[in-house]
Amino acid sequence: MTAGPRTASITRETSESRIELSLDLDGTGRSDIQSAVPFYDHLLTAFAKHSLTDLTVRATGDTHIDVHHTAEDTGIVLGQAIRQALGDKSGISRFGDALVPLDDALVQAVVDISGRPYLVHSGEPAGFELHLIGGHFTGSMVRHVFEAIAFNAALTVHVRVLDGRDPHHIAEAEFKAFARAFRQAKAFDAAVSGIPSTKGAL
């Protein structure tokens, strides 16, 4: 089991956005999210709550053009912070899976803290990627954010939408399922000695 706190604080600034983010992987799910994108705040709050990750986000960007840059860049920094906070991954469960309903929506997520970034994302209904959830968050951004997190945290992530009609419910269920799977994967396992890999590194 890792002796020190599994925390990280990162600031990233470009011509398109400024992101300040801090997290504690061994938190209680507290969050303080201000991304300038209201529905994204909702999704990140759900991620923090259901993964038991304390998360603070302050993000600003060119949302007068589109939410794309701010949302994606926040995902990049979240992934970087997760990777930093995980440390050498000694003693963790490594794998997690979850099946989460939200009314009409049903989503399965599987996470492997593998050190190998990969995303398999499927099942969103036709037209979901074009829908403006809350009038400002394009459905296509859900996959973009998962890509940003998975690739920068070096996670293998599978997300499958098994059912769903309402775009809000589908997006929220995706984040909740990912959160629950990540919660399992990052948890310490008393039966695990050292790094859970035959290679000796993750």
Side-chain angles (χ1 to χ4, degrees), residues 1 6 86 89-97 111-114 180-197 202:
M1 185 175 292
R6 296 195 297 173
L86 282 168
K89 309 178 185 73
S90 181
I92 65 168
S93 293
R94 176 176 168 177
F95 301 101
D97 69 275
V111 171
D112 176 8
I113 301 176
S114 60
R180 291 289 298 189
F182 180 63
R183 173 180 168 181
Q184 289 181 12
K186 72 181 173 74
F188 289 115
D189 184 337
V192 173
S193 177
I195 296 170
S197 171
L202 287 171

Side-chain angles (χ1 to χ4, degrees), residues 59-125:
T60 58
D62 55 2
T63 54
H64 60 287
I65 297 173
D66 192 279
V67 306
H68 187 116
H69 298 142
T70 302
E72 186 172 27
D73 290 353
T74 301
I76 289 170
V77 176
L78 177 56
Q80 291 172 341
I82 288 171
R83 186 171 189 175
Q84 180 177 316
L86 282 168
D88 70 358
K89 309 178 185 73
S90 181
I92 65 168
S93 293
R94 176 176 168 177
F95 301 101
D97 69 275
L99 190 63
V100 171
L102 179 54
D103 296 345
D104 55 293
L106 181 64
V107 177
Q108 181 183 35
V110 182
V111 171
D112 176 8
I113 301 176
S114 60
R116 297 185 307 277
Y118 204 91
L119 175 69
V120 177
H121 181 267
S122 64
E124 291 175 344

Side-chain angles (χ1 to χ4, degrees), residues 123-133 137-142 164-168 170 174:
E124 291 175 344
F128 175 89
E129 71 279 8
L130 304 176
H131 190 86
L132 281 176
I133 306 171
F137 191 87
T138 311
S140 63
M141 288 308 304
V142 174
R165 179 177 180 273
D166 184 278
H168 181 137
I170 292 168
E174 289 188 66

